[in-house]
Amino acid sequence: MLSAPEQVKISIGHKIFASLFLTCTVLVLVMLTGLRLSLGRGFEEYRARADNPEAAQEFLRSQMRTSAFIGTIALALSTLTAAALSSHLRRPISRLLRGTEKLAGGDYQTRIQVAGGDELGQLAQRFNHLAQTLERGNESRKQWIADVSHELRTPLAVLRAEVESLQDGVRPANAEAFDLLHGQVMTLTALTEDLFQLARADLGQLNYKMGQVELWKLLRDASEPFQSRYARAGLELCIVHESARLQAQVWGDPDRLRQLLSNLLENSLRYTEAPGRVELRCQDTGTHWRIRLDDSAPAVPEEMREKLFDRFFRVESSRSKKLGGAGLGLSICSAIAQAHSGQLQAGPSPLGGLRIDLTLPMAKR
């Protein structure tokens, strides 16, 4: 008994040719049968009236030979037509097959030439779009691995150097040395936790306890722990009330939304220069609630705003590292916003710095 792969021997081109050929053959046979029946009836009427039956019989044979010749020519033309059409249809299918094999082999730069706007042309366009998406995903994966390795290398190198200096007696085992080691361990812990949160978000495994959330209370609870820190940094943190609707509610997880706002406030605290100002407000757009955060200088260049929510992206790498940022906070914020059917956008702030808009759908009443 043949195995399953060996049973499929007929290519799509042969199937197309066979279907077209059989269709044309049936049409020719139907035409010949109808012609023969018509000539038969005509011959009977002619013989009933003719004086020479043998001449009438010869006339019928001549007509049948002519009909057979015409049928043969029609059959040959149908064969050529079927072969041409099957070849025309087989070429894009063969290109798709070869492209799929390359794509399955990891060649994500494979593209198929799009010819025509029919279904096969649309299929080729979809294939090219899929290949482009896979190529971007592969590049993102490589960049992700490189960024993670780079972020882990620095604190690990510092830890190793400090431990070796303690082992060799070069550095005394005092409180200052242990504080430095503890700081590097906390940096690694925070980075690992951020990576874990992003990995769970990608897999859809972040736990969300959804319910009615009052936005004004959320803004107060999230900003209150930052008031003293902002004051020590020479910054002013203000909550601005703009909506007449005091009961602003969304459907969401209060803990995750508080984490999102805390990340945004932490980001402004790190990068806003003193003396400066940060404003947090809630706006009613009619269909959505918009939580808007504005901070003062420095501003973010326009070409870099779209990349702010990319993982490990920093506007200025050395400054971010000095301030302890790994470039993951805004990525986590974006994942939380998407889980709430919301959206994060960055733009210029009238205060001279960065504006972050969080849009969330209103809770159904």
Side-chain angles (χ1 to χ4, degrees):
M1 184 177 179
L2 295 177
S3 61
E6 294 176 346
Q7 292 177 355
V8 183
K9 293 288 187 179
I10 303 176
S11 67
I12 186 66
H14 292 156
K15 291 181 179 179
I16 294 173
F17 173 79
S19 62
L20 292 174
F21 178 78
L22 289 175
T23 302
C24 294
T25 301
V26 170
L27 290 176
V28 171
L29 291 177
V30 170
M31 180 190 69
L32 290 176
T33 302
L35 183 60
R36 181 170 183 176
L37 292 175
S38 177
L39 289 175
R41 289 194 299 268
F43 171 73
E44 292 297 334
E45 295 177 0
Y46 174 79
R47 187 171 60 176
R49 300 176 182 177
D51 297 334
N52 190 351
E54 292 182 0
Q57 188 69 29
E58 180 61 28
F59 170 76
L60 178 61
R61 286 194 293 268
S62 174
Q63 292 298 317
M64 293 302 296
R65 287 194 297 269
T66 302
S67 300
F69 177 75
I70 294 174
T72 303
I73 295 298
L75 188 61
L77 291 175
S78 66
T79 303
L80 293 175
T81 303
L85 288 175
S86 63
S87 177
H88 175 73
L89 295 174
R90 187 175 64 249
R91 282 195 295 270
I93 296 175
S94 299
R95 287 197 295 267
L96 282 169
L97 179 60
R98 291 192 298 268
T100 304
E101 292 175 350
K102 291 182 180 180
L103 197 62
D107 185 5
Y108 300 122
Q109 294 183 346
T110 302
R111 300 293 186 271
I112 296 177
Q113 183 179 0
V114 179
D118 56 6
E119 286 80 0
L120 289 175
Q122 294 176 8
L123 181 59
Q125 291 178 354
R126 300 294 188 276
F127 177 91
N128 292 338
H129 179 70
L130 173 63
Q132 185 178 9
T133 302
L134 291 175
E135 184 180 9
R136 286 198 301 264
N138 187 52
E139 293 297 327
S140 298
R141 179 183 61 83
K142 292 179 180 178
Q143 187 64 39
W144 166 261
I145 295 174
D147 290 337
V148 170
S149 302
H150 178 73
E151 292 297 330
L152 292 174
R153 186 183 297 115
T154 300
L156 287 174
V158 174
L159 278 174
R160 178 180 177 181
E162 291 297 321
V163 171
E164 289 178 350
S165 64
L166 289 173
Q167 290 175 337
D168 297 338
V170 177
R171 183 180 180 89
N174 51 24
E176 182 181 355
F178 286 115
D179 287 342
L180 180 59
L181 293 176
H182 182 264
Q184 296 301 319
V185 170
M186 293 304 296
T187 299
L188 281 172
T189 301
L191 176 59
T192 305
E193 179 62 24
D194 287 345
L195 291 172
F196 179 65
Q197 293 289 337
L198 283 175
R200 292 182 64 191
D202 290 341
L203 295 174
Q205 295 179 353
L206 280 180
N207 295 324
Y208 290 88
K209 298 179 181 179
M210 310 297 279
Q212 298 280 356
V213 180
E214 294 185 11
L215 285 184
W216 294 121
K217 183 177 184 301
L218 179 67
L219 296 182
R220 289 194 300 269
D221 292 345
S223 61
E224 184 176 358
F226 286 89
Q227 293 289 350
S228 58
R229 296 177 60 192
Y230 269 71
R232 288 194 299 268
L235 302 174
E236 182 182 4
L237 176 59
C238 301
I239 299 180
V240 181
H241 294 260
E242 290 187 355
S243 175
R245 295 171 58 181
L246 298 179
Q247 298 298 324
Q249 292 185 342
V250 296
W251 183 258
D253 185 330
D255 294 331
R256 293 296 180 186
L257 291 175
R258 189 178 297 109
Q259 178 187 2
L260 187 158
L261 291 175
S262 297
N263 284 350
L264 295 180
L265 291 169
E266 184 71 33
N267 189 72
S268 293
L269 176 62
R270 285 178 177 175
Y271 303 123
T272 304
E273 297 176 351
R277 179 181 176 87
V278 176
E279 295 181 352
L280 187 63
R281 69 191 68 206
C282 180
Q283 299 174 329
D284 182 357
T285 67
T287 58
H288 291 76
W289 289 110
R290 180 193 295 126
I291 299 176
R292 171 166 288 177
L293 188 144
D294 286 302
D295 57 32
S296 54
V300 177
E302 182 179 358
E303 64 274 10
M304 295 185 178
R305 290 181 201 136
E306 295 183 357
K307 300 179 181 180
L308 283 176
F309 304 106
D310 294 346
R311 298 168 184 182
F312 295 106
F313 176 78
R314 302 183 183 91
V315 176
E316 206 280 304
S317 180
S318 60
R319 182 170 181 264
S320 298
K321 286 184 178 179
K322 181 180 178 181
L323 295 172
L328 294 176
L330 292 181
S331 298
I332 296 175
C333 291
S334 180
I336 296 175
Q338 291 177 8
H340 287 79
S341 301
Q343 186 178 12
L344 273 178
Q345 292 180 325
S349 171
L351 299 180
L354 179 67
R355 165 174 286 178
I356 299 292
D357 282 337
L358 168 62
T359 305
L360 295 172
M362 293 181 176
K364 296 181 179 180
R365 294 176 178 249

